[in-house]
Amino acid sequence: MPLAANDNGQAVPAGLRQRKTLRLASGPAPTPSAARSPGWFWSPLGLVVFLSFATRFYRLREPPHICWDETHFGKMGSYYINRTFFFDVHPPLGKMLIGLAGYLSGYDGTFPFQKPGDKYEQHNYIGMRGFCAFLGSCLVPFSYLTVLELSKSLPAAMLTAAILIFDTGFITLSQYILLDPILMFFLMGAVLSMVKHNSCANRPFSASWWFWLCLTGINLAGAIGVKFVGLFVVLLVGLSTVCDLWELLGDLSLSLVTLGRHFLARVLCLIMLPLALYTAMFAVHFAVLNRSGPGDGFFSSGFQSRLIGNNLHNMSVPEYLAYGSVITMKNLRMAGGYLHSHWHLYPEGVGARQQQVTAYLHKDLNNLWIIKKHNLKADHSDASLPVEFVRHGDVIRLEHKETSRNLHSHPHEAPLTRKHLQVTGYGINGTGDCNDFWRIEVVGRKTGKRIKVLRSRIRLIHVATGCLLGSTGKTLPKWGWEQVEVTCTPYQKESPNSLWNVEDHINPRLPNISLDVLKPSFPEILLESHMVMIRGNSGLKPKENEVTSKPWHWPINYQGLRFSGVNETDYRVYLLGNPVIWWLNLITLGLYITMAIFVSVAMKRGVRLKAEHKELSRVLLHSGGRIMLGWVLHYFPFFMMGRVLYFHHYFPAMLFSCMLTGITWDVFLKFCAGALSASIQSRKVYNYGIMVLILLSIYSFYLFHPLSYGMIGPLASDLNSPMAGLRWLETWEF
């Protein structure tokens, strides 16, 4: 075969001469690490840290009133200081840290945090805002160091830092008492620790290797401990760990013992350590919040008996249910209320005109019921008769103590819920008909077993129709005193709506026991709190006049959130991303996908690459790919969520988008510079390109900074407003 010279002057078969070398530029030649002075690392990092903290702490006291969700998370910080139990749909770590920051800075927990706009006056709120601003400021150096580690390019890291420093959205989120900066601090801490640990791969089981692995696990626990969406970064680290272990499995120089050590190290640091820390958070949460408060009603009676000040605390009642007992029954759905009746009848046209039965959220004498046998009229208070306990599978009647009418159901439709049957109070002095009969069953118990107060989860099955007594959670109109609808549902599935427990229990013929012996254990209250949080999260609905959004709105910066102020006399703060930065990030997503496809196809086709070109391709596909995966995991799951969504939910994904922008444009400009033969000109293309992107970020920040630091005067819809020309989309409401 004839030979021909290649580009390097080497003889190769002429048939292969047709395959051209793909020209990829490496940009300016990197300086060897050994030759770099210490200032190369610390000077840019110092500048990044200074600018990040300066932009986040500037005008931190303004406005001196509650803004947006400060009313929730500031109030929850107060609850921790006062040790008052409350309920929230998120795990406790973020609120605990806010409460701790307030306590250490001198806040006494007495500000009511009633509604946005209320002035703080003499109350010390700056400690809690300052804590959130500190964590929000740390996001920039964390992202800078992550990109620097992944790309080994200082310009890429500086570009990432610049677009984060000068983004108005991140500044706004960092300056108030919110969970978002705390969540993103742990999220970015986990990503940085993961990347640093990967860089120690050539020194396995060294001190630095263990340090970064443990720190990754600690940050994972922190992310989940603030919000459940922290699970997305857990998934990212998990997928990265699986890939690393798969690579190690292919290294035939490693023994099975070494592979086992690698596997156990990751199980210990990335599974066991986060689980232990996460559980410890809840142990502290339950220990601190030991006083009765506004969250009691969301939890079971057994849970409430732990809380000082609750009417069940240190209470003594008979342990097992007996006929003739006077009881109250609490529904197990979140805020389900007590089974309740009163003298008022259902109005005309709403089923049968019989006595109303509802669920009521408060303690009341109308919650009391007498439990009786279905076919006997014996006086169970007669001391000459033996005490007879109620057992699983018994058919009973429940007689309302105040009105002497029986709990009753029949084939009439419920007031609000279609296909459910109406539940009423029926009869005179306990005398009714066969539609008053209910079979009592205990979940997970065998026929004949006795029924425990507080602990037994029971359901009542209507004997005549087979439906289940339950609470739908729907609020009745004024004729029902805006109490909660109770129905008999024909659907036999087991759910908290159709489960009840006996709370109060009065029977003078039975010995009382302290409820201390019936208190749930720590694993039980841990499980219950998670069930309540999950149900609460999935049931979140938008408040009146609240601005919600859809996931497709977020990357295009379609609509912001009003943090403070509604008219021209108010101090207005508006959460909106810097549009130049956000649209640059959006363009970058498309650019990255195009470049990744191009390079992947070229490599698959066997195009020969120089060493520096291979390194660029590795940075693009490997490092950029992990960041792209982080963006996908933190964005696309929201399309599948049924709960109400807000603009601020996109910001964790935005962190990854900003890092991807730094890496992608760094590589892209090196590609472009490589097309030029003159080295000086290629350097100018690369350096000017990075500089233009940074200057664009700074200039757009100059234009839009009033969104974060406050606006007073005409709204942007007014032509006389200084912001009028900046309202580029009609959906922006500043």
Side-chain angles (χ1 to χ4, degrees), residues 665-679:
W665 282 97
D666 178 71
V667 174
F668 176 72
L669 289 171
K670 287 175 180 176
F671 286 176
C672 294
L676 301 172
S677 56
S679 61

Side-chain angles (χ1 to χ4, degrees), residues 444-499:
R445 299 292 291 276
K446 295 180 180 179
T447 302
K449 294 292 184 179
R450 290 188 288 182
I451 297 171
K452 261 188 178 181
V453 175
L454 290 188
R455 302 305 298 275
S456 293
R457 298 189 304 157
I458 63 177
R459 59 182 193 168
L460 293 175
I461 302 175
H462 191 242
V463 174
T465 63
C467 59
L468 291 176
L469 183 73
S471 169
T472 63
K474 297 177 181 178
T475 302
L476 294 168
K478 289 185 178 180
W479 57 255
W481 304 94
E482 297 182 342
Q483 296 174 12
V484 179
E485 181 189 37
V486 167
T487 68
C488 201
T489 171
Y491 307 109
Q492 294 288 324
K493 64 179 181 179
E494 184 179 304
S495 73
N497 291 31
S498 57
L499 294 178

Side-chain angles (χ1 to χ4, degrees), residues 11-36:
V12 296
L16 299 180
R17 185 69 182 87
Q18 304 302 319
R19 182 172 288 176
K20 297 181 179 179
T21 301
L22 180 68
R23 287 190 58 83
L24 297 177
S26 59
T31 306
S33 299
R36 290 171 177 161

